[in-house]
Amino acid sequence: MQADATGLIKKLHPDRGIVIATIDDAEHFTAEERERIIASYPAHERDARTKGIPTMGSGRVFPVSEELITVDPFPIPDFWPQIGGLDFGINHPFAAVNLAWDRDADCLYVTRTCRLKGEHKDGVWTGSPVFHAASIRPWGEWIPYAWPHDGLERDRQSGQTLADQYKTHHLNMLHERATHEDGTNGVEAGLTEMLERMQSNRFKVFKNNAEWFEEFRLYHRKEGLIVKLIDDLMSATRYAVMMRRFATTQHTVEKPRERYNRRRGGGSAWAA
């Protein structure tokens, strides 16, 4: 995690460098004294105070310790439903996350993430729906994707909505924009649910999702308002959490013939 923080600072300020010292480098403290010092800090400040990991202090949206939500990656059981979340990135990076849901424990796991900045790379524009869809389609074309209200915006030439453009490129887009079960789409309600899940051990993130943790550390408020900066994966995660009622398993969306072929060792499944 320290390397991730260093990389982020260099990315934001390429002409600067940092040296991180942790509490373990303070060898004049005994092990017992270190434990006492660590325990004296609020949970959401421990990473910053003891490991030197940059955070936004008391203004953090999710004031919880990373250790509380971090888990090692593991194979997702076939019977766990999954759902994805998209933040289209019209004027900012595109972001996508994949959630797996352990319904027995009512625990959500962030298993995969993708964040792409629109730029010309090897002669390809990485800010287009075709590039975005191709980047996450290997996760599984059957996975349903939640998306925000700007997916309803229409292209001036084709008249096609942004959400439909992604559907054209074989992403299984949900039939409506992301909302809570009561039909509302309030940001604070979604963030509150995520925080409550984190605090009650019902929200976990695979530790190899470095970009997700970068945003998690910097996601903060100023004068009570969310700072809309480097928050693309946070938004995509919130949309997926809001629409988890539409999470599904691969077997659920396969057609009978496709399921039969797969069991025989051939063919592939895709949900239209």
Side-chain angles (χ1 to χ4, degrees):
M1 292 300 182
Q2 294 177 17
D4 296 339
T6 304
L8 181 59
I9 293 297
K10 289 183 177 180
K11 186 187 302 181
L12 297 175
H13 305 285
D15 59 338
R16 302 179 186 179
I18 60 174
V19 176
I20 296 177
T22 74
I23 194 171
D24 293 323
D25 295 313
E27 297 181 352
H28 57 287
F29 290 126
T30 66
E32 292 75 15
E33 288 174 326
R34 290 193 191 101
E35 291 181 3
R36 177 180 56 78
I37 292 171
I38 293 172
S40 69
Y41 297 135
H44 65 281
E45 295 181 3
R46 288 173 187 166
D47 289 330
R49 291 179 174 271
T50 66
K51 300 178 182 178
I53 295 177
T55 68
M56 300 310 296
S58 61
R60 290 184 65 187
V61 174
F62 301 123
V64 298
S65 172
E66 285 186 32
E67 282 79 2
L68 184 64
I69 63 174
T70 304
V71 295
D72 292 324
F74 58 86
I76 301 300
D78 290 340
F79 58 89
W80 283 16
Q82 299 185 47
I83 189 169
L86 302 181
D87 193 29
F88 292 120
I90 298 176
N91 297 311
H92 52 85
F94 164 85
V97 301
N98 185 201
L99 296 187
W101 187 9
D102 176 3
R103 278 182 167 152
D104 292 335
D106 189 23
C107 185
L108 296 171
Y109 291 82
V110 178
T111 61
R112 290 171 287 202
T113 64
C114 175
R115 189 175 66 194
L116 298 170
K117 182 180 180 180
E119 59 185 351
H120 289 284
K121 186 177 183 180
D122 299 327
V124 177
W125 173 245
T126 62
S128 65
V130 61
F131 188 86
H132 297 161
S135 299
I136 62 176
R137 205 161 45 234
W139 295 357
E141 295 185 9
W142 57 273
I143 296 173
Y145 281 94
W147 45 274
H149 61 87
D150 52 5
L152 298 173
E153 296 182 6
R154 294 186 178 275
D155 181 78
R156 293 183 179 180
Q157 294 182 342
S158 67
Q160 192 177 36
T161 66
L162 185 56
D164 283 341
Q165 291 180 47
Y166 282 82
K167 185 176 181 180
T168 298
H169 297 297
H170 308 300
L171 286 190
N172 186 15
M173 306 294 282
L174 289 176
H175 62 287
E176 61 184 27
R177 67 189 178 106
T179 63
H180 301 289
E181 290 194 42
D182 62 2
T184 63
N185 66 340
V187 174
E188 291 296 338
L191 296 177
T192 296
E193 178 176 7
M194 289 175 63
L195 177 58
E196 290 177 348
R197 283 182 167 274
M198 293 177 187
Q199 293 173 330
S200 58
N201 284 312
R202 294 181 297 128
F203 185 95
K204 304 294 181 181
V205 184
F206 282 10
K207 71 177 183 181
N208 57 339
N209 292 305
E211 291 183 327
W212 195 97
F213 283 105
E214 286 178 357
E215 293 193 10
F216 171 79
R217 297 175 197 130
L218 297 177
Y219 199 33
H220 69 289
R221 302 175 188 273
K222 184 175 182 180
E223 297 180 355
L225 300 178
I226 300 293
V227 176
K228 298 293 293 179
L229 180 66
I230 315 178
D231 66 342
D232 312 291
L233 290 170
M234 296 297 99
S235 295
T237 303
R238 177 165 51 83
Y239 302 140
V241 172
M242 289 167 62
M243 296 292 274
R244 70 185 180 281
R245 60 190 181 277
F246 294 106
T248 188
T249 64
Q250 182 173 4
H251 294 176
T252 303
V253 298
E254 286 179 334
K255 297 176 182 179
R257 174 56 60 182
E258 291 171 334
R259 189 180 309 166
Y260 174 74
N261 289 338
R262 184 179 58 77
R263 288 176 177 172
R264 294 185 63 190
S268 62
W270 175 70

